[in-house]
């Protein structure tokens, strides 16, 4: 397993994307109130719990954790491997399904 890289220096927010029963589902953006430090803490805890990993070619996880810059553009992508891990991120970040339309 590849080690989780350092959090991208431009990361200021997080969001999740997953395929839910064949339908792409995006979630609200969670801005880090403590800045990059709070993102680093969340990534460290999730790494120790096995709740994120580096995406590997040909492997699809349960969901994708996107680290976003100030313009809400992805600057780093990590894999959420299981439903249990997704639930932890969902609760930790207070995510909700993004409204469409």
């Amino acid at each position: 397993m590849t080690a989780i890289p350092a959090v991208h220096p431009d990361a200021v927010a997080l969001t999740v994307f997953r395929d839910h029963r064949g339908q792409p589902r995006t979630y609200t953006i969670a801005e880090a109130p403590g800045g990059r430090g709070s993102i680093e803490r969340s990534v460290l805890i999730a790494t120790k719990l096995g709740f994120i990993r580096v995406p590997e070619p040909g492997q699809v996880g349960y969901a994708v954790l996107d680290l976003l810059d100030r313009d809400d553009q992805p600057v780093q992508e990590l894999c959420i491997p299981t439903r249990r891990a997704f639930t932890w991120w969902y609760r930790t970040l207070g995510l909700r399904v993004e409204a469409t339309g």
Side-chain angles (χ1 to χ4, degrees), residues 4-84:
I4 302 294
V7 170
H8 192 283
D10 294 337
V12 296
L14 304 164
T15 192
V16 172
F17 171 85
R18 75 180 177 117
D19 185 336
H20 180 70
R21 300 181 182 149
Q23 297 295 318
R25 186 171 278 184
T26 55
Y27 291 83
T28 52
I29 293 173
E31 292 188 25
R36 188 168 175 263
S38 61
I39 293 173
E40 288 173 334
R41 283 187 296 281
S42 295
V43 167
L44 178 63
I45 291 167
T47 300
K48 290 182 183 225
L49 294 171
F51 289 170
I52 57 170
R53 66 175 189 233
V54 174
E56 295 183 22
Q59 287 187 334
V60 178
Y62 188 83
V64 174
L65 177 71
D66 284 326
L67 285 73
L68 308 174
D69 66 12
R70 293 188 192 289
D71 297 320
D72 296 336
Q73 296 302 308
V75 292
Q76 191 172 5
E77 211 174 73
L78 297 167
C79 174
I80 299 174
T82 64
R83 181 178 180 181
R84 181 173 178 233

